[in-house]
Amino acid sequence: MGLFDRLFGGRFTQPPPDEPRLSDAAIMRELHPFGAQLKMFTHALLARLPEKERARLVRRVSRFYNLGEEPATALVSGLLDAEKGQSLDHLVLMAVDVRGFDDFEYLAPKLVSASGIEQVYAYPLEGMPTMAQVLVDFDQWLAGFGKRFVHVDTGGADYVGCIVEQDSVESLIAQAKQAGIDARFSPF
């Protein structure tokens, strides 16, 4: 600025900025607008886990989100990581491929057990249903226990979902929407 100031005889000055300086926290809120809502949604989703495990997984999801991931991708990356994500004893979020019948057969009973249902789930092998139909049947079976299977849209080819108490489904779906995540009963 000194060179231009001398060149133009002191007429080259920059006015002060109109906006006040932002703090680091304000900048992070602007760059990642769903941070607090994603943390609340993840905390609600993991409510049945022990406090220490829940806090660890919420931090993992927040870390992925702060690295620039979309909210749904951060949720899936934080929880479904084979090494550092959720354990099979505390399974909350399940992901199966379109043709992942073997994965579903392995993960569904663990998800049912972790949600507190004592009865073992074994899905019927008759006919050739699609994975979407298998998940709809799974949701109907869960309804008999006062629970529902809620699907989370990740934008990928996997079916991702969790078991939720029937009376808290609407509030959880609303929290997901506030966190920038699309969730519903029917498969995406």
Side-chain angles (χ1 to χ4, degrees):
M1 290 295 229
L3 174 68
F4 289 118
D5 191 38
R6 282 182 275 159
L7 235 148
F8 295 111
R11 294 175 298 173
F12 190 79
T13 59
Q14 183 176 3
D18 293 338
E19 298 179 9
R21 293 185 178 264
L22 294 175
S23 67
D24 290 343
I27 291 171
M28 288 303 285
R29 281 191 300 270
E30 288 291 322
L31 290 175
H32 305 291
F34 298 116
Q37 293 89 348
L38 180 62
K39 193 178 274 190
M40 285 176 30
F41 170 70
T42 307
H43 205 283
L45 185 66
L46 304 173
R48 67 176 180 253
L49 297 183
E51 181 61 36
K52 190 173 181 180
E53 180 70 5
R54 183 178 349 143
R56 182 185 73 81
L57 291 172
V58 168
R59 280 192 310 272
R60 280 186 55 76
V61 171
S62 294
R63 188 176 312 123
F64 277 102
Y65 180 68
N66 290 335
L67 290 174
E69 298 286 343
E70 292 294 318
T73 308
L75 181 71
V76 169
S77 298
L79 296 181
L80 294 179
D81 181 27
E83 293 178 17
K84 296 183 180 179
Q86 61 188 350
S87 68
L88 289 177
D89 296 335
H90 300 293
L91 193 63
V92 174
L93 194 66
M94 176 179 73
V96 291
D97 191 74
V98 175
R99 300 194 188 279
F101 295 102
D102 292 338
D103 292 341
F104 180 77
E105 188 175 10
Y106 175 70
L107 292 174
K110 295 195 177 297
L111 185 66
V112 167
S113 174
S115 70
I117 298 174
E118 298 294 324
Q119 187 172 347
V120 177
Y121 176 74
Y123 82 99
L125 300 172
E126 308 111 25
M128 292 296 291
T130 63
M131 181 53 74
Q133 183 58 45
V134 168
L135 291 172
V136 168
D137 293 343
F138 181 56
D139 179 50
Q140 291 172 353
W141 182 81
L142 288 170
F145 297 97
K147 300 185 186 284
R148 298 297 302 266
F149 188 75
V150 176
H151 298 268
V152 176
D153 184 14
T154 61
D158 291 346
Y159 290 107
V160 178
C162 57
I163 296 177
V164 179
E165 295 290 333
Q166 194 161 359
D167 57 347
S168 64
V169 168
E170 295 302 323
S171 66
L172 194 72
I173 289 175
Q175 281 183 338
K177 186 171 273 316
Q178 289 174 351
I181 298 172
D182 193 14
R184 62 181 181 196
F185 287 123
S186 58
F188 290 93

